[in-house]
Amino acid sequence: MTNGASKMWSGRFREPLDSTFEKWQRSFPFDVRLIYQEIAASKAHARTIAAAGILTPDELEKTLAGLDRVIKAVFEEAYKLVNNDMLRDAYASTSTPADYAWLSPLNDVARLNPQAEDIHHFVELELTKLIGSLALKLHTGRSRNEQIATDMRLFVRDSIDASVKALREWSLALFEVAERAGENVIPSFTHLQRAEPVLVAHWLLAYVSMIERDISRLSDARKRMNLCPLGSGAVAGATLALDRNIAARALGFDAPTPNSMDATSDRDFMLDFTQALATLGIHISRFAEELTLYSTAEFGFLDLPEAFSTGSSAMPQKKNPDFTELIRGKSARLVGAATTLSVLMKGLPLAYNKDLQEGQEAVFDAADTAAGILTILPAFTRSLKFRFDRMKTAATTGYLNAMAAATYLSNKGVPFRKAHEIVGDAVRLGLESGRELNDLKLEELRTLSDAFAEDFFEAITLEATLDCHDVIGGTARTRVGEALAAAKARLGDNI
Ligand code: ARG
């Protein structure tokens, strides 16, 4: 038997593919999740070739209706396999659902369709079952190289929108917790050594700043990627005089891509996306690490929400920070996806190479991983129970007001270097006698410098220690109030 006529490229081949290789090289088991994107892009292409006279208006209608039926048929099959309500709802909706969890039964559909090499081949086979040989006209003037480039752009665009939405939710949760924290304080750390007191709100707003950069990176990537590869052909451009604007417009792209060689082999948008998620992963992991540390008995700054913790099967007293540990671990997958894409791309000659197929799973995994984490983070953040008393004790002991004390002296005209040294001496005095700076007597202090006066003690209270950081971005109470108001304005409609 010659190679199966069902292949998309069997004409020039006389020998069948090695069956193990055939199975191994198929992308359908994972690119089946691009079904929505593939159908949308195929419909857009059908409109383009109809405008070029390849399809009559009647054929166009049949093709579009057939493509809609393909997606229906796939979900019917998937629904039969799992018989689950979530899937039935997803199948009933016509748009791409943001939550991909229900897609897993599609993998079973893929398993049951061993002929399909990839999603493009699958849709063609299914469409042929439904509308006969008219389906074969759809491939006029297009190549799978531009199709996969288009499908992936559509996928990444949706994932960016979902990630940005989820990040806004999380920053809103952080904002609410920050606002509720009022004037409560926490030590800030440098070198993981207690440094100076800061408002809890100031600490939490640090993460809001990180999230805002994440949103900006993702939005920026979205703008840059929003061009349509359809019409690029296999490498040199479509062989028909197609109006590429038709498909671009139908798919919500800003314009067609300007170069066919780049368009069919460019995966920068996947790199941008995974790199932005890798950075997001780093931020989330830092948050997770802080909370993991702060929940230990040694810090004691918070009680882990029981709803997000587990016990130990061996040690009855344990409450383990599973959620923060897991997201710290999962962020490694986000960094991994960006690394996979970078290494995948770095040696590729122009234009399309089959290696590119390997980039898809990294993107899917990163999108799923980020979506999973971000679904839980807002509720987790809102349920955090801070132990403000412990935070305050830690923030008001251990000479965290030494910097404020040095500032006091420098305000009295003592050069800062000198003031630093004098306060260092005062700290030593305190350490030797088990006292904080505010427990020292004015006479003792005056033996170190006659710049000390009675008003020194007001300058090193907790409030004064906070308020001396009265700069934009500082932890002075009024500044943090302004920062909260500014964050609230930026969060805008979400509040
Ligand atoms: N499944 C393929 C991929 O993801 C589609 C493009 C195939 N193109 C080709 N020339 N073999 O890359």
Side-chain angles (χ1 to χ4, degrees):
M1 196 186 96
T2 54
N3 199 9
S6 64
K7 284 262 171 288
M8 295 183 95
W9 40 260
S10 47
R12 65 97 70 212
F13 284 79
R14 292 291 166 262
E15 280 189 31
L17 273 186
D18 175 278
S19 67
T20 315
F21 169 64
E22 203 282 330
K23 240 190 242 143
W24 176 83
Q25 55 91 45
R26 292 168 59 211
S27 53
F28 192 46
F30 54 85
D31 69 17
V32 61
R33 72 180 295 167
L34 294 172
I35 180 96
Y36 273 109
Q37 291 79 2
E38 176 67 11
I39 296 285
S42 294
K43 285 166 79 174
H45 179 68
R47 291 183 198 285
T48 307
I49 57 172
I54 305 291
L55 297 178
T56 65
D58 181 51
E59 287 175 329
L60 172 63
E61 216 152 280
K62 285 202 176 89
T63 305
L64 295 178
L67 286 165
D68 283 336
R69 273 163 60 207
V70 168
I71 208 151
K72 235 174 155 209
V74 167
F75 281 98
E76 260 157 15
E77 199 176 328
Y79 176 59
K80 259 187 262 142
L81 288 171
V82 291
N83 198 20
N84 130 340
D85 287 346
M86 208 162 63
L87 189 67
R88 188 186 13 222
D89 294 347
Y91 140 72
S93 86
T94 50
S95 62
T96 309
D99 178 1
Y100 294 104
W102 53 268
L103 275 167
S104 58
L106 283 186
N107 296 334
D108 296 323
V109 173
R111 198 169 39 76
L112 296 174
N113 285 277
Q115 296 149 289
E117 185 174 320
D118 56 24
I119 185 66
H120 323 295
H121 188 204
F122 173 76
V123 169
E124 185 172 292
L125 290 172
E126 294 297 302
L127 191 62
T128 308
K129 279 190 217 156
L130 294 168
I131 64 169
S133 60
L134 172 59
L136 304 176
K137 276 197 172 181
L138 188 57
H139 209 55
T140 316
R142 78 171 179 180
S143 146
R144 284 186 294 160
N145 298 353
E146 60 184 314
Q147 281 174 264
I148 190 62
T150 306
D151 292 357
M152 286 307 290
R153 279 185 194 238
L154 292 172
F155 178 87
V156 168
R157 201 175 65 182
D158 279 349
S159 301
I160 287 178
D161 291 346
S163 310
V164 167
K165 189 161 174 272
L167 280 169
R168 290 217 174 95
E169 289 289 318
W170 185 33
S171 53
L172 182 59
L174 283 164
F175 169 82
E176 284 170 14
V177 176
E179 200 174 41
R180 245 189 291 130
E183 293 203 355
N184 283 297
V185 293
I186 185 172
S188 62
F189 297 83
T190 63
H191 315 271
L192 200 53
Q193 306 287 327
R194 276 180 293 161
E196 291 185 274
V198 291
L199 287 178
V200 169
H202 193 59
W203 165 57
L204 292 172
L205 285 178
Y207 286 98
V208 173
S209 288
M210 292 182 221
I211 297 173
E212 286 181 342
R213 290 196 298 277
D214 292 323
I215 291 176
S216 141
R217 257 184 290 275
L218 287 164
S219 312
D220 181 49
R222 191 195 196 285
K223 266 185 240 139
R224 201 179 306 115
M225 62 153 284
N226 202 30
L227 299 173
C228 185
L230 288 182
S232 299
V235 57
T239 47
L240 293 167
L242 300 178
D243 178 357
R244 296 186 58 204
N245 290 307
I246 296 173
R249 226 176 294 123
L251 294 170
F253 286 113
D254 295 330
T257 48
N259 181 291
S260 62
M261 293 179 78
D262 179 47
T264 48
S265 63
D266 166 37
R267 296 295 183 271
D268 287 6
F269 62 96
M270 285 157 55
L271 256 176
D272 278 359
F273 175 56
T274 50
Q275 284 172 345
L277 290 189
T279 307
L280 163 64
I282 292 166
H283 295 155
I284 291 174
S285 188
R286 293 182 73 182
F287 182 69
E289 170 66 3
E290 286 207 298
L291 295 184
T292 306
L293 280 175
Y294 293 170
S295 71
T296 59
E298 287 68 21
F299 277 88
F301 289 175
L302 57 98
D303 282 327
L304 284 172
E306 289 196 5
F308 298 95
S309 315
T310 61
S312 155
S313 58
M315 295 166 280
Q317 86 284 11
K318 294 287 291 287
K319 183 164 72 168
N320 292 328
D322 289 46
F323 178 63
T324 52
E325 289 176 298
L326 260 181
I327 60 178
R328 196 175 56 193
K330 280 186 190 291
S331 66
R333 297 166 74 131
L334 299 178
V335 176
T339 308
T340 298
L341 263 297
S342 308
V343 179
L344 179 71
M345 297 304 296
K346 70 173 268 300
L348 291 189
L350 283 174
Y352 177 84
N353 297 272
K354 188 78 167 194
D355 317 38
L356 292 171
Q357 184 170 288
E358 277 305 300
Q360 293 176 33
E361 285 168 289
V363 169
F364 298 152
D365 186 62
D368 290 343
T369 301
I373 296 170
L374 291 172
T375 306
I376 306 175
L377 258 178
F380 171 80
T381 303
R382 285 192 178 95
S383 65
L384 286 172
K385 296 230 171 352
F386 293 129
R387 300 204 45 197
F388 292 127
D389 53 331
R390 294 282 305 247
M391 288 180 174
K392 185 170 180 183
T393 305
T396 51
T397 55
Y399 311 97
L400 272 62
N401 51 1
M403 180 102 163
T407 305
Y408 166 85
L409 288 179
S410 80
N411 285 342
K412 296 271 172 184
V414 181
F416 189 80
R417 279 277 156 266
K418 192 89 197 114
H420 184 281
E421 206 180 305
I422 296 166
V423 174
D425 287 340
V427 167
R428 190 150 35 80
L429 197 65
L431 283 170
E432 281 161 5
S433 54
R435 289 175 299 165
E436 290 290 325
L437 289 179
N438 34 309
D439 298 324
L440 298 179
K441 298 215 164 39
L442 183 57
E443 309 86 79
E444 292 173 283
L445 290 164
R446 287 184 65 84
T447 64
L448 303 173
S449 164
D450 54 16
F452 283 112
E454 196 54 59
D455 59 355
F456 170 67
F457 297 101
E458 289 150 37
I460 59 164
T461 60
L462 176 60
E463 292 72 22
T465 305
L466 292 166
D467 289 344
C468 68
H469 300 281
D470 188 12
V471 288
I472 294 172
T475 198
R477 289 171 296 174
T478 53
R479 296 292 186 168
V480 175
E482 284 162 20
L484 279 167
K488 188 172 187 158
R490 288 195 304 274
L491 285 163
D493 296 342
N494 284 317
I495 295 185

